[in-house]
Amino acid sequence: MQYLPICLKLHGAPVLLVGAGTVATRKARLLLRAGADVTAVAPEACAELQALLQEHGGHWRQGCYDTADLEGKTLVVAATPVAEVNYRVYEDACALGVPVNVVDAPAYCNFIFPSIVDRDPLVVAISSSGSSPVLARQLRHRIDAMLPAALGRLAAFAGGLRDRVKQAIPDESARRLFWEKLLQGAVAEQVLAGNEARAEALFDEAIASGAKQSQGEVYLIGAGPGDPDLMTFKAARLLQSADVVLYDRLVSTPIVDMARRDAQRIYVGKRRGDHAVPQGQINQQLLDLAREGKRVVRLKGGDPFVFGRGGEEIELLARHGVPFQVVPGITAANAAACYAGIPLTHRDYAQSVRFVAGHLKDNSSNLDWGGMQSESETLVFYMGLVGLPVICEQLRAHGRRPDTPMALVERATREEQRVLTGTLATMVDIVASENPQAPTLIIVGDVVTLHPQLRWYGE
């Protein structure tokens, strides 16, 4: 993140605008709308800027920029057509510790103007960190079209009720849950429709019932293989509502960062041979947090019900009557195969697919190796990196051809994705040489031969 997005209160603040042409006028309009006391400095000023300043009580000093113009200013914007003047403003402002923006020159800005969707007091700002203002404006137009025009009225209505809600519902988690329900229900609809008297009556009813202790809930969410774009809408929405998020090492950082900033985050990751948080303790933690009235999200890599132990985690909740939801995710086999360009089934190569847990216990495996010999079936091994030598050895020992194609997909769907291809006879040596790191997925079968033609364009 190159810039920290903040909202700066400028009501009555003295702001310097160097320049008085068309570009400067655009900036002046924003600054004046925010209540700033704007002083423009330029030898000449366009008529529109002069009218704006006169209407809002701003000032125009006719003349060239001087360092003394910065005295007492909260921030400064340079928007002249002369690069030397803009650079001098930048240097002077930095020397005095005054935030400065040189229009269309990101290298000379320590603050920037985002594209804004204004539903006062609700404001949405979109920034590309100065790299693509056109893209930011396009996103602004999309968001603007999505948001009701009266959304600011709803924000103001809610703002006027904050003290009453805080008094009636002291617990922060319960209060957040109350607000989320209120702003998605009948009260919000009445405000948006302009019926604030009816909204007030509905609010009184809601606050009376909302002050009672509410029961928590658990959301078991499949986070997919790592790419945040593969999360479902429901998964993203529930993650945003969570008071507490429990996540493991298979969940990528960008997905964890989708949670609210004030949500408590608890790492419960496990590595092979190192279960820092035992599964039973995770199950109990979900139950205890829900009993405290919290909304709890358990983020699982892939899909919770495909080698994710999701059934174990909700079993305890069901036994104690705690409400829960399970949100499916894209399991690693589907995602890795798609991004690697390896169809799991194909009319000419494989008519079935089998998902297999490939991890070993006590350095051995009791899998049904004899049942995995069909040439028309694709095998997908989860958690098979450490057990790869055993997998290759046992498949060959029970009848699979040594030249059976094989692929290992490392960190599927992420920027660092890598696909290693070989055969049952060569893959162990390839892995020893390339040293891939978990998470990985192993695909065995003739469909692997399609990888060179169909591999994902981003690989």
Side-chain angles (χ1 to χ4, degrees), residues 158-217:
L161 300 172
R162 289 185 65 184
D163 288 342
R164 285 182 61 188
V165 174
K166 193 170 185 179
Q167 273 191 329
I169 310 175
D171 180 75
E172 184 178 353
S173 296
R175 189 164 64 247
R176 184 176 298 280
L177 181 60
F178 171 82
W179 276 120
E180 287 174 354
K181 288 181 177 178
L182 188 84
L183 295 175
Q184 294 176 0
V187 172
E189 291 299 327
Q190 292 299 319
V191 174
L192 292 174
N195 301 324
E196 295 199 15
R198 176 59 179 155
E200 285 274 7
L202 290 173
F203 168 79
D204 290 339
E205 295 174 13
I207 198 71
S209 59
K212 301 173 185 176
Q213 175 65 37
S214 59
Q215 186 177 26
E217 189 170 4

Side-chain angles (χ1 to χ4, degrees), residues 185-304:
V187 172
E189 291 299 327
Q190 292 299 319
V191 174
L192 292 174
N195 301 324
E196 295 199 15
R198 176 59 179 155
E200 285 274 7
L202 290 173
F203 168 79
D204 290 339
E205 295 174 13
I207 198 71
S209 59
K212 301 173 185 176
Q213 175 65 37
S214 59
Q215 186 177 26
E217 189 170 4
V218 175
Y219 308 129
L220 189 61
I221 294 177
D227 184 348
D229 286 344
L230 297 180
M231 291 269 285
T232 66
F233 286 125
K234 184 173 184 179
R237 176 171 56 81
L238 292 178
L239 179 55
Q240 278 286 310
S241 73
D243 301 304
V244 186
V245 178
L246 281 71
Y247 65 100
D248 56 49
R249 70 184 183 91
L250 295 180
V251 180
S252 65
T253 300
I255 289 177
V256 177
D257 287 344
M258 291 170 66
R260 292 198 326 262
R261 283 182 298 173
D262 59 338
Q264 181 184 1
R265 303 179 186 190
I266 301 175
Y267 177 71
V268 292
K270 299 187 285 289
R271 295 181 182 273
R272 180 177 176 82
D274 179 20
H275 288 204
V277 183
Q279 186 63 51
Q281 187 175 328
I282 296 173
N283 302 347
Q284 187 63 46
Q285 205 166 10
L286 294 174
L287 176 64
D288 293 342
L289 289 167
R291 281 175 161 173
E292 293 174 12
K294 291 181 168 57
R295 281 184 168 184
V296 186
V297 159
R298 171 65 167 111
L299 279 176
K300 308 282 289 184
D303 182 275

